[in-house]
Amino acid sequence: MASLEWLLLTYKVPAEPARKRVAIWRKLKGMGAIYLQGGVCLLPKTDDHLRRIKMLENEIAEAEGEALLLATVGLDQKQQDKIVARFNADRDDEYKEFIDKCIALEVEIAEETRVKHFTFAELEENEQELGKFRTWIAKIQKLDFYGAPRAEEAKERLGRSEQILDAYAHNVFAAQDENSGG
């Protein structure tokens, strides 16, 4: 396997105001960075990440902090595998949360079906929730640089949630037809 390259960013910013430090942390996490320790993080070396970290360097400087950016590789395959495993573990945590939310939606729809609560308002609410899930999984997938193990499970769970919502929609339309004498 070829050596993978990463961008290693080390930075320090003053403790106060905390909002600046938190904003930097959020941006790095939003790019999919893993933290090796406080103020030391890694991202895959891509032109996009390099551009975004360079912009973040300016923010760090404006916050009266310091930053050092290096390109790096793992010393050997074992080290490289450890880094990839850390990225995958972060994504798997996100996929697990996603899967749990899908299951909660499925349980809610099952309860609505059990009590025969077939309304357009409930259907619309659940469709909006599913739309949020589609956006959410796309964000996770964008940061899934190395194919986290739970990716396929999350994709399948979304498909199952879509099927369950489709069945619920069928029940809503059937119930509305019955109510209208159709």
Side-chain angles (χ1 to χ4, degrees):
M1 177 188 238
S3 289
L4 299 175
E5 287 189 89
W6 292 286
L7 296 171
L8 175 71
L9 175 67
T10 65
Y11 68 94
K12 287 191 297 187
V13 291
E16 295 298 328
R19 66 180 166 71
K20 290 182 179 181
R21 192 174 68 252
V22 170
I24 291 165
W25 176 83
R26 280 192 179 136
K27 287 179 181 176
L28 286 163
K29 290 305 275 183
M31 289 191 293
I34 60 167
Y35 274 79
L36 303 178
Q37 58 182 327
V40 180
C41 60
L42 278 177
L43 276 164
K45 185 180 178 193
T46 66
D47 291 342
D48 181 54
H49 287 150
L50 182 58
R51 178 185 55 78
R52 292 169 69 187
I53 288 178
K54 287 292 207 180
M55 290 170 39
L56 203 52
E57 266 187 309
N58 291 333
E59 282 186 48
I60 292 167
E62 288 171 10
E64 298 179 10
E66 308 172 5
L68 178 64
L69 179 60
L70 303 169
T72 189
V73 296
L75 185 59
D76 55 31
Q77 188 64 45
K78 183 177 177 184
Q79 298 306 313
Q80 182 170 293
D81 292 346
K82 281 183 186 180
I83 293 168
V84 169
R86 289 278 306 275
F87 277 105
N88 284 343
D90 280 5
R91 295 301 78 78
D92 274 348
D93 288 347
E94 292 176 12
Y95 283 130
K96 182 184 181 324
E97 183 181 355
F98 174 83
I99 291 164
D100 290 347
K101 292 291 185 182
C102 285
I103 291 170
L105 177 66
E106 293 168 20
V107 167
E108 179 184 335
I109 293 171
E111 180 60 17
E112 297 294 343
T113 301
R114 187 186 70 74
V115 299
K116 299 188 182 336
H117 184 238
F118 300 122
T119 66
F120 286 122
E122 187 64 32
L123 176 60
E124 183 177 359
E125 180 183 313
N126 290 328
E127 284 179 340
Q128 287 175 354
E129 191 71 12
L130 202 60
K132 291 175 188 174
F133 288 177
R134 289 182 188 110
T135 301
W136 184 10
I137 197 169
K139 286 179 182 176
I140 299 170
Q141 289 169 331
K142 183 179 178 192
L143 302 180
D144 189 0
F145 309 121
Y146 304 108
R150 295 196 90 167
E152 193 58 36
E153 179 186 356
K155 188 174 156 187
E156 288 170 5
R157 180 52 73 175
L158 178 60
R160 179 178 170 159
S161 295
E162 290 170 337
Q163 289 174 344
I164 288 169
L165 185 59
D166 285 347
Y168 180 77
H170 177 76
N171 288 331
V172 168
F173 288 112
Q176 296 304 318
D177 283 347
E178 284 178 19
N179 293 338
S180 66

